[in-house]
Amino acid sequence: MSKTKKIVLLSILGALVIGYLVGVRVFYKEFLPNTFLHGVNIGTMTEEEAVDALTKAVNPSFNVVEMDGVTEQISLNEINFVADYEKIVHEMMKKTTSLAWPISLVKRTENTTGGEVSFDAKKLKDLVHNLNAIAGENVRAPKNAYIAQNNGKYEIVKEDDGNKLNEDRAFGAIKYALARDEGSVNLQDEDCYLKAEIRQDNKTLNDKFRLIQKIDSLTITINMVDANEILTADKIIDMGTFKRDK
């Protein structure tokens, strides 16, 4: 290798070393580029700046996603919601090493941990109770599957799960999500809706249905002194205990 090439190579190497050392010094008390916490980019920020950015990024309302994608909001101010990010930011900074700053230029580091949260659970319970999905006019309770007669034939009418929430379960799911500093919860995914107890494939219901089908083809004649009493299928079924399950 010629002397000129060696000089050029050493110059490039020296520039890289100097650039690396400058980066180490710059990021000594700052988060590395491409560092995300709770969805917020805190790269190149100090601890104080990161806490401030996270606090400002808190959405003023919590989204409650309901059936069919309907969304309602709960105001965080109304439940005195506070999220403190100082501890998690400090813990992240302790684990950060400025020596690895070149890697951060091409690799994203993400931490989804939320802040330390506090809120008024009683006020939250009141707000949950007043959600349209619970107190609204269009709330429908579940209806069990049942046996009905239609055009002279008996059939099993399928259950209707309706759209009524289990209020305690919904409150628990919302409270848990808030405690984790999450911005929303899907109540359907959390299985918070009531469901009909007796479904179309219910064994007892189907046993009754098969028995009714057998009876439906019967006609019984009872010989009496003055006349014969004819019992049709409808009369036999009416004399039984078959009824719509509530």
Side-chain angles (χ1 to χ4, degrees):
M1 182 183 294
S2 67
K3 184 176 181 179
T4 302
K5 287 183 177 179
K6 286 182 179 179
I7 293 174
V8 172
L9 183 60
L10 288 173
S11 297
I12 294 173
L13 183 61
L16 290 174
V17 171
I18 292 172
Y20 172 74
L21 293 175
V22 169
V24 170
R25 182 69 184 88
V26 168
F27 296 117
Y28 178 65
K29 289 187 177 182
E30 294 180 358
F31 286 102
L32 301 180
N34 276 323
T35 300
F36 287 78
L37 173 59
H38 203 46
V40 177
N41 188 349
I42 59 172
T44 72
M45 293 184 183
T46 63
E47 286 188 45
E48 184 178 344
E49 291 170 338
V51 170
D52 184 56
L54 287 158
T55 302
K56 288 179 179 178
V58 173
N59 196 304
S61 61
F62 177 85
N63 289 326
V64 180
V65 183
E66 300 158 2
M67 191 174 288
D68 300 324
V70 176
T71 301
E72 295 189 64
Q73 282 79 38
I74 291 177
S75 169
L76 296 185
N77 287 332
E78 290 189 48
I79 60 173
N80 303 327
F81 180 91
V82 176
D84 185 353
Y85 297 97
E86 288 189 10
K87 183 177 179 180
I88 182 62
V89 166
H90 183 63
E91 290 298 318
M92 283 184 65
M93 181 58 81
K94 286 198 302 183
K95 296 176 182 178
T96 299
T97 171
S98 60
L99 297 175
W101 74 263
I103 299 175
S104 70
L105 298 177
V106 294
K107 183 180 179 182
R108 175 173 173 146
T109 301
E110 189 152 9
N111 188 331
T112 58
T113 305
E116 292 188 349
V117 167
S118 65
F119 55 88
D120 190 321
K122 185 179 183 303
K123 290 182 178 179
L124 174 64
K125 193 173 185 68
D126 291 339
L127 291 177
V128 171
H129 178 72
N130 290 315
L131 288 172
N132 285 330
I134 293 174
E137 296 179 355
N138 297 321
V139 174
R140 302 189 330 274
K143 293 181 180 179
N144 290 330
Y146 62 96
I147 299 169
Q149 192 179 46
N150 185 19
N151 295 325
K153 291 186 178 181
Y154 287 91
E155 63 181 10
I156 293 179
V157 179
K158 186 179 180 181
E159 73 280 351
D160 177 7
D161 285 328
N163 62 355
K164 188 173 183 178
L165 283 164
N166 179 320
E167 186 170 341
D168 288 339
R169 192 172 181 85
F171 170 70
I174 293 170
K175 182 181 177 182
Y176 180 73
L178 281 166
R180 290 170 58 85
D181 198 14
E182 296 174 356
S184 67
V185 66
N186 188 310
L187 297 183
Q188 197 160 16
D189 289 348
E190 296 299 324
D191 196 25
C192 293
Y193 283 88
L194 296 173
K195 293 182 180 179
E197 295 180 4
I198 301 176
R199 311 190 75 77
Q200 192 176 29
D201 59 356
N202 178 270
K203 183 180 183 303
T204 301
L205 183 67
N206 279 271
D207 287 345
K208 287 182 180 181
F209 179 61
R210 283 189 289 271
L211 181 56
I212 287 175
Q213 285 182 310
K214 290 179 181 179
I215 295 174
D216 197 29
S217 61
L218 294 178
T219 299
I220 299 176
T221 302
I222 301 175
N223 295 318
M224 304 180 71
V225 177
D226 297 326
N228 292 331
E229 178 69 22
I230 298 176
L231 295 180
T232 61
D234 287 344
K235 288 182 179 180
I236 297 171
I237 291 170
D238 287 341
M239 291 171 63
T241 58
F242 308 111
K243 61 182 180 180
R244 172 175 172 173
D245 293 292
K246 302 294 185 183

